[in-house]
Amino acid sequence: MKKKYLFAICILVLIVVGYCLPERIVIPVAGASQRDWNPKSFWYEPWGVSGVHKGIDIFGKTGTDVLSTTDGLVLYTGQIRLGGNVVLVLGPKWHLHYFAHLNTIDTSIFSVVASGDKIASLGDSGNAKGKPPHLHYSVVRMIPFPWKTDRTSQGYKKAFYLDPGKMLTDR
């Protein structure tokens, strides 16, 4: 019985520590500014098969460095159908940072990255093939905030998704 309590306490401490770590946020495309994405594109609909756009697209030239927006641990690198070449980073506050449509991936799974480290290069992989090169960037909470939901299309998912454009401009 004591082992169960000790395990629960360890998990609780881990969760609290994750929330206490500061997020050092940088724009994830080298040389980009707020002019390189449309701030109204987060939660824009209609948006292809996903219905709503749960991130922002930051435009640039193919091969431009893609930087980790925060300190974190790389949980996944690889390919998925819609995102193409992707990287997933677990950062402070238990936020998952998703980088998609990459040309190259320059990090590996379980790598520790710092805010501003190069992790990839900008491209048009996945369902962005043939479109202007851009980074699809989204941020997901692992622990939901139910009070963030609303009556918009798929608004219940706002308990999990953060507006990355707001995160980048409020830094």
Side-chain angles (χ1 to χ4, degrees):
M1 192 72 140
K2 290 181 183 180
K3 287 183 182 181
K4 287 182 182 178
Y5 288 121
L6 183 59
F7 180 74
I9 289 170
C10 288
I11 295 297
L12 184 60
V13 167
L14 187 62
I15 290 171
V16 169
V17 168
Y19 268 105
C20 292
L21 294 173
E23 281 186 309
R24 299 182 314 130
I25 302 294
V26 299
I27 294 175
V29 175
S33 70
Q34 288 178 253
R35 292 183 306 269
D36 296 306
W37 73 82
N38 182 343
K40 295 179 182 177
S41 66
F42 177 69
W43 228 262
Y44 181 84
E45 70 172 318
W47 200 271
V49 297
S50 63
V52 295
H53 194 233
K54 298 172 190 79
I56 60 171
D57 294 337
I58 304 172
F59 293 86
K61 294 181 181 178
T62 299
T64 301
D65 289 353
V66 172
L67 314 172
S68 178
T69 47
T70 189
D71 304 319
L73 177 68
V74 177
L75 295 182
Y76 179 79
T77 64
Q79 294 185 332
I80 61 174
R81 188 174 59 85
L82 295 177
N85 297 325
V86 302
V87 172
L88 183 67
V89 174
L90 173 62
K93 316 267 183 259
W94 298 103
H95 292 167
L96 295 169
H97 299 259
Y98 174 74
F99 306 84
H101 307 311
L102 306 170
N103 186 43
T104 63
I105 296 173
D106 299 310
T107 190
S108 57
I109 191 168
F110 301 129
S111 295
V112 175
V113 293
S115 178
D117 283 354
K118 180 180 179 184
I119 58 171
S121 68
L122 195 72
D124 67 349
S125 60
N127 67 350
K129 192 50 108 185
K131 298 176 184 167
H134 66 277
L135 168 71
H136 173 84
Y137 174 59
S138 63
V139 183
V140 177
R141 294 181 188 93
M142 289 182 61
I143 300 170
F145 287 15
W147 56 90
K148 295 287 187 174
T149 62
D150 63 27
R151 294 178 185 223
T152 60
S153 185
Q154 298 184 35
Y156 66 95
K157 291 182 180 178
K158 287 185 180 177
F160 295 95
Y161 285 88
L162 291 114
D163 180 347
K166 187 167 174 27
M167 289 179 70
L168 295 174
T169 56
D170 288 351
R171 56 190 171 88

